[in-house]
Amino acid sequence: MKRVAVFLAVTFVLTWAYEFGVVYPIATGALVGLPATLTQLAVGGAMFFPALAVVVTRLVTREGFRNSVLKPRRFKQSFPWFLVAWFGPSVLIVVGAGVYFLCFPNDFSASMDYLVAATQQALAAQGAPAVDPELLRMSQYLTLAIAVVLGGVINIVPTFGEEWGWRGYLVPKMASRLHIVPTLLITGVIWGVWHAPLTALGHNYGMGYPGWPFAGIAAMCVFCVVCGIFLTYVTERTGSCLAAAIGHSTINAMAQAGIIFSLTGGNPFVGPGPFGIVGGCAFIVVAALMLWDLHRREKAGTLRMPQAGLPDGVKKADLARETDVPVAPSAR
């Protein structure tokens, strides 16, 4: 597990150093005179560190770049699962939001009153003129339509930065040593803890709630376990972490889809966003079914988890020496 340890050490050290050294000063206003949108861009920058850690690990441990979990399997076999990765999260997020609003019908606002009020308030704080509410609503419907159709590629570059690390390296490495169920539980918690500095800063769950920030970090770990199962499933079915990057991109693009129809903005621990227990119920059910299927096929010997890199103790040079061994001439 040496390569796993190196990967995790590089990922956590680089990411947390960046977040505490760059993101926190920007988000907390320690660096004055910077535009508000810079915080979101700075947060997005953290998504590239898992991929950078893969490169560092493969170079430092002399593993090379064999088995990079990038090339999909045959088109007919993998294409349907790329579609699942692309559109599946949108369906699950909408279904989860629908369940939330059935449970809490008084929180539903078709006119997006909360969003309109929050937007106007933000504009006023910046000294900008108010915008026509109808124009805001139309722009949100257009944004939702774009997110559904193009969600799989809107954030594909930063989500690949994460997924080449998590589903393209860590999960296959762990799965080569552990059964699939503990692999996905452990790696999901690791992924959630990796988000801890941003979760404490208010990412997904806000601030000031009872148990802050540990309740939010725990909830993020649960969310990452659930999403990690979905993203691993499409990776295993396609043989490529590109499917996970597409699914992750769609999740990010659609994360606010239910919240904009909430009269109160909802509760991040409950819904209608997918991070809550009710808003995320469709994800939870599907992830449970996927985990059961992965376990079933593992027992049957039909699970096709991609191999990432080389086995522990094997280096790229070892493979080169094997191919350079001369073949003895056949006896005459």
Side-chain angles (χ1 to χ4, degrees):
M1 301 290 277
K2 174 184 176 182
R3 289 181 172 123
V4 168
V6 172
F7 167 77
L8 290 176
V10 174
T11 301
F12 273 79
V13 168
L14 292 181
T15 305
W16 285 15
Y18 169 78
E19 288 172 348
F20 286 120
V22 177
V23 178
Y24 265 62
I26 295 174
T28 58
L31 299 177
V32 297
L34 298 176
T37 55
L38 189 59
T39 299
Q40 193 63 31
L41 293 174
V43 169
M47 299 174 71
F48 293 96
F49 287 110
L52 178 59
V54 172
V55 174
V56 171
T57 302
R58 285 177 175 272
L59 292 176
V60 168
T61 65
R62 300 180 183 180
E63 185 177 21
F65 291 88
R66 181 187 292 264
N67 302 326
S68 292
V69 197
L70 295 176
K71 183 179 180 180
R73 299 192 181 108
R74 293 193 303 270
F75 177 80
K76 288 185 178 180
Q77 183 180 6
S78 62
F79 181 69
W81 295 104
F82 275 105
L83 291 179
V84 170
W86 193 304
F87 296 107
S90 296
V91 173
L92 298 178
I93 288 171
V94 170
V95 170
V99 172
Y100 171 85
F101 287 124
L102 286 174
C103 295
F104 305 95
N106 293 333
D107 194 32
F108 180 73
S109 171
S111 57
M112 307 180 188
D113 292 334
Y114 175 82
L115 172 73
V116 171
T119 302
Q120 301 289 31
Q121 185 177 4
L123 291 172
Q126 298 171 15
V131 178
D132 181 9
E134 282 304 315
L135 184 60
L136 281 175
R137 295 184 184 100
M138 290 177 59
S139 68
Q140 283 302 313
Y141 280 118
L142 178 60
T143 300
L144 276 177
I146 293 173
V148 170
V149 177
L150 300 177
V153 293
I154 287 175
N155 304 292
I156 191 68
V157 174
T159 58
F160 174 77
E162 279 200 49
E163 293 306 329
W164 194 36
W166 304 127
R167 257 55 62 178
Y169 195 79
L170 178 63
V171 171
K173 286 285 191 186
M174 296 284 284
S176 68
R177 292 297 189 93
L178 301 174
H179 290 299
I180 191 62
V181 173
T183 290
L184 292 178
L185 295 179
I186 293 170
T187 56
V189 170
I190 290 172
W191 190 23
V193 172
W194 177 76
H195 287 89
L198 296 182
T199 305
L201 198 60
H203 182 61
N204 291 341
Y205 295 97
M207 299 175 70
Y209 50 81
W212 172 86
F214 301 106
I217 293 171
M220 190 63 186
C221 288
V222 173
F223 178 71
C224 285
V225 168
V226 171
C227 286
I229 293 170
F230 178 91
L231 298 175
T232 297
Y233 195 88
V234 294
T235 298
E236 186 270 340
R237 285 294 192 175
T238 62
S240 171
C241 70
L242 294 176
I246 289 171
H248 193 161
S249 177
T250 301
I251 292 171
N252 287 1
M254 289 291 293
Q256 303 296 316
I259 298 173
I260 66 175
F261 293 102
S262 169
L263 188 62
T264 64
N267 184 314
F269 291 93
V270 181
F275 315 108
I277 190 68
V278 178
C281 64
F283 255 116
I284 293 170
V285 170
V286 169
L289 293 173
M290 287 179 166
L291 186 61
W292 173 82
D293 183 58
L294 291 169
H295 172 66
R296 177 188 64 82
R297 288 191 287 121
E298 181 182 55
K299 290 182 65 176
T302 57
L303 186 65
R304 301 179 64 189
M305 182 62 66
Q307 179 185 346
L310 301 175
D312 281 349
V314 179
K315 300 177 182 178
K316 180 181 178 182
D318 298 331
L319 300 180
R321 281 194 292 269
E322 288 179 7
T323 58
D324 289 342
V325 174
V327 179
S330 57
R332 293 183 181 272

